[in-house]
Amino acid sequence: MKPSRRALLVSGSAVAVGLFSGGAALFFRRGPAVDGGIAAGRVFTADEMAVLYALASVLLPQGAGAPDLRREVIAAVDGLVSTFHPADQAELKTAMLLFENALIAFVLDGRAQPLSALDPVAARRALLGFQRSRLAEVRTAFRAIRGLICGAWGAMPALDAVTGYPGPPDFGQACAADPWTDQPACPAEVSP
Amino acid sequence: MSGFVRRGEQLREDVVERCDVCIIGSGAGGAMLAAGLTEKGLDVVMIEEGGWHTRRDFTLREGDAYPMLYQDGGARASADLAITVLQGRSVGGSTTVNWTTCFRTPDRILAAWQRDHGIEGLDAQTLAPHFDAVEARLNIAPWPEEQANANNRALLEGARALGWEASALRRNVKGCANSGYCSMGCPVDGKQGMAVTTIPDALSRGMRLYSDVRAERLVTEGGRVQRVEASVMVPRSAHTTGVRVTIEARTVALCGGAINSPALLLRSGINPNGRVGKRTFLHPVIAVVGRYPGLIEGYRGAPQSVGSHQFIDRGADKIGFFVETGPVHPMLATLATSDFGDPLGAFMPQLPHVGALLALHVDGLLPGDEGGEVSLRPDGRIRLDYPVQPALVEAMQASHKVLAQITLKAGAEFARTGHLDPVVLRSEADLPLLDAVPYGAHKHGIFTAHQMGGCAMGSDPARSVVGVDHRHHTVGNLFVVDGSVLPTALGVNPSETVYALAHRAVESVAASV
């Protein structure tokens, strides 16, 4: 059976496997430094959360008027990924390594630094390169990470003021009765 | 006799159930079937992988709704991630989160099924009483043009100004508040989805419903399903609790929908002719957004109430498409663009002025168009492959042009594609720009909200999975009643076809008990 691109992302091409085996150990011993530190999530280690933070720093708007939601976003990503199948979680971690691993970056686009060590302009250029890579596995990895981070950002209520989105109206539905289960009538009143 | 709902978190010990009919899945097929079978006095147990959620759970926030109400937390996709798959996962299935558009199955599709797949006895006349019945129960009726939101008005006016057909759609709503939040669960129970109509009908007649319970395997012996083995799920996740549910039923109705139903048959080793999972169709969707000078507020009002079938038939050698609209909430908007960083930040404040048009491509009708395939990964996870073939690439180029034309004619300042380097068109003079960019997988956004096929209905046991009566060709007490039986895509939103087929299947399923 022909392997899928997604499977290739996990198992890697011959080159990628070699790079991962050596490169991950050499270049990913610790995650990038984050001001104020960063804690492990439910799925991601502290180092992996730091890589996610670095990716969010490039993927999310940082210009004037954009609220800094990086910590909230990576927490939301961690929460969502915690519901995924363990194999899907492992694939995502592999995708993150693809971005942060300096040896892989050197092979792909000639830079010898992890993404988190690049200045904002160079980091954006690097991700644009991933987005447009001739390697399907790299494009797929970018798409997965971008979707999770930018999607979580787009869903943040804190963004409403920026986008002009009014947020949902309240129809009082939280207190609607459910005749088929034993849930209390109004969870808002009984939950701390 | 009243039935009950048991949620996964209530299930602490293994459960064994015995019944006349076990229904796996609670969406358009399963719920309609359950209502009919219980009306006949049959003892029904239903299991549903997703949760039991009522309007009290609907916060109408995308960050809550997608993980709660969609497959894979909203992250389901084709294996190469080129196609985002929006598919419901809760009691009610996709009917809890769909945009309510209803069509009867087009005559030309029924004719193609008869001609190409040997399906006899499914024509407009024989299906009419079933359509009549579901339309009455679900209050399916035209949504007045004058109530169209600005996004839908843009489609209506833009298409008509170009001389193209466009008309109001029919919706299954009653007391719709026009909130615009259909995709996140209806906060007022105005949407007549299964969770507020046929599921309560069946519960009131004694059905036992187990939510957060995933069917793992159908155990067969002697050409019959002996039992259904299922796992209790940690709510809103892909993890199991370790608690098991076993159902011993005289008849089993598989109603998990396209993708999940074929996957369960594959997990169960029920694939005698190798056709399970084959011919999976998606109505692959592309979007073009428009930036309008006035407010569009595509997040308000019925998200989809106008459609155009002007380009449904583009000739015998081309894939046709139809045009509809979609809601413009911030997370979906973020995912519809390829931007990131500050360009994304520049786009988002325009949200109230942004409209979105969708083109849905009708796969499975051209000779040789086999669509995609559902299979299993070695670790048992579901895998969906969908190669974007040249005919579809050609259609996507054509549909991008059509959507851009409508958007500009409707008064947008510019139309913008979902390409990696978006094409921005400010007038019809810019249309040739669309000839210079690539189309297909990973070239621009593609998604699907209509999954069909994978357990095709047909008269030839060598080429299909179930017969015209929905009975499996080789497993006598197994029926498949959901969108997976459709032998081609429909060219219209599929929910009403599934409702009607399930309504029709009640007789054959009941007769088997």
Side-chain angles (χ1 to χ4, degrees), chain B residues 287-291 333 336-339 343-344 347 350 355 400 404 407-408 414-425 434:
Chain B
V288 168
V289 301
R291 203 283 183 190
T337 166
S338 301
D339 289 339
L344 178 61
F347 169 73
Q350 303 179 55
H400 270 88
T407 301
L408 292 169
F414 60 82
R416 188 177 191 269
T417 71
H419 284 83
L420 291 182
D421 294 308
V423 180
V424 177
L425 306 100
L434 292 173

Side-chain angles (χ1 to χ4, degrees), chain A residues 4 6 59 62-63 82-84 88 124 131-132 143 146 150-151 160 163 165 167-168 173 176 178 182 184 187, chain B residues 7 52 55-56 58 61 79 81 181 238-239 299 329 331 334 337-342 352 381 383 420-421:
Chain A
S4 71
R6 200 169 184 177
L59 289 169
Q62 303 296 320
S82 74
T83 69
F84 289 3
D88 288 326
R124 178 173 175 80
Q131 189 179 34
R132 290 156 170 76
R143 191 168 169 79
R146 182 206 172 275
C150 293
D160 291 356
T163 60
Y165 183 62
Q173 71 268 28
D178 176 2
D182 55 1
Chain B
R7 292 171 287 129
W52 167 263
R55 66 191 183 102
R56 57 190 283 137
F58 301 152
R61 282 287 180 185
L81 303 193
Y181 288 81
H239 308 301
Y299 36 76
H329 292 283
M331 189 188 83
T334 303
T337 166
S338 301
D339 289 339
F340 62 87
D342 288 337
R381 285 178 298 157
R383 174 191 170 102
L420 291 182
D421 294 308

Side-chain angles (χ1 to χ4, degrees), chain B residues 78-410:
Chain B
S78 57
D80 62 359
L81 303 193
I83 303 177
T84 300
V85 178
L86 296 175
Q87 188 174 23
R89 182 190 189 245
S90 71
V91 173
S94 290
T95 74
T96 299
V97 292
N98 71 16
W99 305 340
T100 73
T101 301
C102 291
F103 281 92
R104 292 192 178 196
T105 319
D107 288 349
R108 75 185 194 104
I109 296 295
L110 296 172
W113 290 358
Q114 183 179 33
R115 183 184 65 238
D116 301 332
H117 301 275
I119 294 176
E120 301 288 345
L122 277 189
D123 53 45
Q125 191 175 351
T126 54
L127 285 174
H130 303 291
F131 282 122
D132 290 343
V134 302
E135 287 167 3
R137 179 64 188 93
L138 306 181
N139 210 50
I140 295 170
W143 187 249
E145 270 184 27
E146 56 273 19
Q147 289 197 42
N149 71 5
N151 194 29
N152 282 276
R153 272 205 310 277
L155 169 55
L156 191 71
E157 293 167 5
R160 285 180 177 172
L162 287 160
W164 297 339
E165 176 275 336
S167 55
L169 300 174
R170 299 185 312 149
R171 307 179 65 222
N172 60 315
V173 295
K174 185 160 63 179
C176 172
N178 230 350
S179 72
Y181 288 81
C182 296
S183 55
M184 297 177 233
C186 183
V188 297
D189 287 347
K191 183 196 300 185
Q192 298 298 284
M194 300 298 95
V196 301
T197 55
T198 50
I199 294 279
D201 289 350
L203 288 169
S204 67
R205 296 193 281 259
M207 181 177 77
R208 283 105 68 204
L209 166 59
Y210 293 87
S211 66
D212 308 299
V213 171
R214 180 177 68 198
E216 302 286 7
R217 201 162 71 102
L218 309 178
V219 179
T220 57
E221 190 179 310
R224 295 180 65 80
V225 179
Q226 299 298 319
R227 63 183 182 277
V228 178
E229 295 181 346
S231 297
V232 177
M233 309 298 294
V234 175
R236 306 179 193 193
S237 88
H239 308 301
T240 56
T241 66
V243 177
R244 311 280 302 177
V245 176
T246 303
I247 302 115
E248 297 171 0
R250 298 167 74 179
T251 293
V252 173
L254 178 50
C255 309
I259 300 179
N260 287 349
S261 281
L264 178 56
L265 291 181
L266 292 171
R267 283 201 300 272
S268 306
I270 303 174
N271 189 18
N273 60 5
R275 296 306 301 167
V276 172
K278 302 282 200 289
R279 292 187 62 83
T280 294
F281 302 110
L282 301 176
H283 275 165
V285 180
I286 60 99
V288 168
V289 301
R291 203 283 183 190
Y292 293 82
L295 284 176
I296 292 293
E297 297 184 315
Y299 36 76
R300 291 191 200 277
Q304 190 172 78
S305 66
V306 169
S308 171
H309 279 68
Q310 179 72 31
F311 299 96
I312 200 72
D313 184 357
R314 301 176 60 235
D317 60 343
K318 288 185 174 165
I319 289 179
F321 57 87
F322 56 111
V323 179
E324 293 179 339
T325 61
V328 189
H329 292 283
M331 189 188 83
L332 270 189
T334 303
L335 295 176
T337 166
S338 301
D339 289 339
F340 62 87
D342 288 337
L344 178 61
F347 169 73
M348 291 303 285
Q350 303 179 55
L351 195 70
H353 293 268
V354 170
L357 299 184
L358 313 174
L360 299 88
H361 301 82
V362 190
D363 44 352
L365 291 179
L366 286 190
D369 181 356
E370 294 291 307
E373 179 177 355
V374 172
S375 61
L376 298 179
R377 299 172 192 275
D379 57 17
R381 285 178 298 157
I382 296 173
R383 174 191 170 102
L384 169 65
D385 288 282
Y386 193 97
V388 178
Q389 304 285 5
L392 185 52
V393 171
E394 185 279 333
M396 287 177 168
Q397 179 169 5
S399 62
H400 270 88
K401 272 191 184 174
V402 164
L403 297 193
Q405 284 177 277
I406 295 172
T407 301
L408 292 169
K409 190 61 97 175

Side-chain angles (χ1 to χ4, degrees), chain A residues 40-134:
Chain A
R42 279 185 270 185
V43 172
F44 296 111
T45 66
D47 285 344
E48 290 163 344
M49 290 292 275
V51 175
L52 265 184
Y53 186 88
L55 285 162
S57 298
V58 189
L59 289 169
L60 301 182
Q62 303 296 320
D68 184 356
L69 298 171
R70 286 174 292 180
R71 287 179 184 275
E72 292 87 343
V73 163
I74 65 171
V77 169
D78 177 65
L80 178 62
V81 173
S82 74
T83 69
F84 289 3
H85 190 286
D88 288 326
Q89 296 173 352
E91 287 183 356
L92 277 165
K93 292 187 177 199
T94 304
M96 286 167 51
L97 281 174
L98 193 65
F99 293 110
E100 183 64 2
N101 186 286
L103 192 52
I104 292 174
F106 181 75
V107 171
L108 291 177
D109 63 12
R111 65 179 161 88
Q113 294 168 289
L115 185 82
S116 58
L118 300 176
D119 64 63
V121 173
R124 178 173 175 80
R125 192 164 54 234
L127 285 194
L128 284 169
F130 278 112
Q131 189 179 34
R132 290 156 170 76
S133 172
R134 283 178 297 176

